[in-house]
Amino acid sequence: MTKTWWKESVVYQIYPRSFKDSDNDGLGDIPGVIEKLDYIQSLGIDVIWLCPVYKSPNDDNGYDIADYRNIMDEFGTMDDFDRLLEGIHARGMKLVMDLVVNHSSDEHKWFEASRKSKDNPYRDYYIWKPGVNGGPPNDWQGFFGGSTWEYDEQTEEYYLHMFTVKQPDLNWENPKVRKEVQEIVRYWFEKGVDGFRMDVISLISKRPEYAKLIGERFDEVVTNQFANGPRVHEFLQELNKEVLSQYDIMTVGEGPGITLEHGLDYVGEDRNELNMVFHFDHMFMNMGDGGRFDPLPIDFQEFKDVFTRWDEKLKGKGWGSIFLGNHDFPRMVSRFATDGPYREKASKLLSTLLMTLRGTPYIYQGDEIGMTNIAFEDPNDYKDVETLNFFKALEADGKDPKDHLGKVYEIGRDNARTPMQWSDGKNAGFTEGQPWIKVNPNHTDINVEDQERNTESILNFYRKMIQFRKDNPTLVYGDYESIQNEHPQIYAYRRWDEVNEFLVVLNFSDQEVDFDPIITGLELLAYNYTDATEDLLMRPWEAKVFRVND
Ligand code: ISL
């Protein structure tokens, strides 16, 4: 397996809207990120992934781009961006931007031209179809609910939008669109950007039949009908050949619908497409028949198996990404562990998991201090378009969103979008103004300032674990094997190469567990209880990493 910087990197994801507000308009911004670069560097971060900062009407918080070469006014100017990039590079870190090119905003000049007339030169930049029997071209339902087709009176046709009506899908069949994307990517590489996270890149090639929906379960429809279309690999290989391969950069494709079976087609080292993907096997594993807002309990066995299966599949052939949350999902500690009395131990345990699996780890802002989910009592406090659409659908059904808030508490995207908790002061130190979304009231207990002072804090544990990973390349490249895989509370695995062998033992439960790994010569190196000993009587949410010495 070839060794490269992006395999050895630890990535920190910033959702700028909620990170740090420098001008007190209530929205985070680029100068706010600049203020916090020393903090990010102090964690031991190598790469920052910045969610979209381009010009946008913000129907989906920047995932609807109106100008790919300019910065959103609310976030600052291109000068601010240049200073940010400089500041990142000066600290020996790298910057990965978000590339959102499955769709643009309906306020992009291409779309404004496209919708004018059927013979406009930009018509084919998007996907237009005539209606069928007075209705939309087919019965597809989008990611945020409702038809994927919107009727446009000007030309009496429908356009495709897999997300909101303000996010029309680009037509990648059109070579001009592909050329535009190549030029956008080149523009940012020429500025010195170090890579891209590519939004829903698995969706760019549509199945030309636009056939009737093939099933009811949304995840199955995504995998088999919306994602992994017939030309997706050709398009990615072309992008790679024309631009990506000419720079020393990293790419990670966001891949709803990319299952184990497709993974290597995207990231196989012989494929010349992407370096990594974010698959969603663990993120969507608890989706019930009713879709996103019908969550089931997390199945711990399946959780472990997902990591094991992907490691097995990619080993020696491609590279993985390790993440447990981002701006689209609940807080990892609330979702996969516990935000009750053991929250602190549980956050450290998840950090241990992130830093000891094979693949590049991604930390989402706030997880390094153990931020948790939010539960707003008033539906009007929610801001995410997906949640708002869910409320609208309920209301259309004669239901009261208030009676269904439990689902939003469990799975809604705003859980991860409350402002970063810098201090116990006003608005958690995020802004002096009115924050665009309410701050989590628990900032009085969970905040950076407090954890900076406490040597045993979650924050300082992250610093240690990141350093631990860097000190031990075995944890980056070494082999992986799950131990006593069927254990109902413990996730244990070995990582080894010619130089070293490690055993990681994680107790995912509120109970004490007497674990016997049947391995001897164990030397305790990292742990989340200060008084930990070398035995394997694992206390609730206890995490231990041993070196195996014989
Ligand atoms: O969060 C989800 C819906 O339940 C996911 O399906 C998510 O929409 C999907 O992973 C795509 O996410 C990305 O593209 C979206 C944007 O809203 C998300 O924020 C982004 O991460 C459309 O651009």
Side-chain angles (χ1 to χ4, degrees), residues 13 31 43 92 101 144 228 263 316 352 356 394 407 421 455 462 474:
Q13 182 194 349
L43 294 171
V101 287
F144 300 148
N228 311 310
T352 309
T356 57
L394 288 168
K407 308 280 185 215
Q421 295 168 198
T455 49
Y462 264 83
T474 308

Side-chain angles (χ1 to χ4, degrees), residues 504-518:
V504 181
V505 184
L506 310 170
N507 180 5
F508 271 79
S509 81
D510 285 354
Q511 285 93 49
E512 192 168 272
V513 177
D514 195 359
F515 183 67
D516 183 3
I518 329 179

Side-chain angles (χ1 to χ4, degrees), residues 162-396:
M162 299 307 293
F163 296 89
T164 76
V165 289
K166 287 183 66 64
Q167 292 169 299
D169 280 51
L170 283 160
N171 177 19
W172 279 67
E173 300 291 323
N174 181 350
K176 286 193 198 138
V177 167
R178 307 205 298 272
K179 194 91 200 133
E180 299 269 14
V181 171
Q182 289 164 20
E183 292 316 313
I184 291 165
V185 170
R186 195 188 311 279
Y187 170 83
W188 289 100
F189 286 160
E190 287 300 317
K191 265 192 166 293
V193 157
D194 305 289
F196 279 104
R197 173 265 188 191
M198 301 185 182
D199 192 65
V200 289
I201 204 69
S202 52
L203 304 187
I204 56 176
S205 161
K206 317 297 180 203
R207 289 176 177 74
E209 317 77 83
Y210 290 92
K212 229 158 87 42
L213 270 186
I214 53 160
E216 303 246 307
R217 272 197 66 98
F218 191 67
D219 46 0
E220 282 167 22
V221 167
V222 171
T223 299
N224 299 315
Q225 192 163 25
F226 295 166
N228 311 310
R231 299 183 68 189
V232 66
H233 299 295
E234 174 196 336
F235 294 160
L236 286 174
Q237 279 165 20
E238 181 186 68
L239 183 62
N240 187 301
K241 178 163 167 277
E242 297 298 325
V243 199
L244 306 177
S245 59
Q246 293 160 25
Y247 298 84
D248 179 23
I249 48 91
M250 65 166 258
T251 54
V252 50
E254 193 218 16
I258 298 182
T259 62
L260 203 58
E261 174 196 338
H262 313 98
L264 276 175
D265 295 342
Y266 290 87
V267 302
E269 295 203 339
D270 55 347
R271 298 280 299 175
N272 298 316
E273 295 190 18
L274 301 172
N275 298 142
M276 290 168 264
V277 290
F278 292 128
H279 71 76
F280 288 104
D281 282 1
H282 55 315
M283 301 309 275
F284 286 146
M285 71 184 210
N286 68 328
M287 195 189 262
D289 288 341
R292 166 90 173 184
F293 287 102
D294 179 23
L296 304 170
I298 296 287
D299 176 342
F300 179 54
Q301 186 64 53
E302 173 63 12
F303 176 80
K304 295 193 273 185
D305 289 349
V306 167
F307 290 105
T308 304
R309 284 200 294 264
W310 275 90
D311 187 272
E312 177 70 23
K313 187 69 169 192
L314 298 184
K315 105 174 169 205
K317 304 196 184 97
W319 196 248
S321 57
I322 306 294
F323 74 107
L324 293 169
N326 59 33
H327 62 293
D328 292 333
F329 291 92
R331 283 287 170 184
M332 69 176 192
V333 73
S334 303
R335 185 176 193 201
F336 294 114
T338 172
D339 55 16
Y342 292 111
R343 180 189 59 88
E344 188 199 318
K345 295 285 183 275
S347 292
K348 291 176 179 175
L349 173 140
L350 294 179
S351 150
T352 309
L353 177 79
L354 289 172
M355 293 309 144
T356 57
L357 284 170
R358 178 158 47 189
T360 297
Y362 290 76
I363 300 170
Y364 179 62
Q365 70 181 42
D367 283 344
E368 78 277 21
I369 54 169
M371 279 178 64
T372 67
N373 281 354
I374 187 78
F376 296 132
E377 276 167 38
D378 182 351
N380 294 314
D381 287 336
Y382 283 94
K383 304 292 173 202
D384 169 30
V385 65
E386 181 182 59
T387 299
L388 300 184
N389 282 358
F390 173 59
F391 291 159
K392 275 188 208 150
L394 288 168
E395 277 162 353

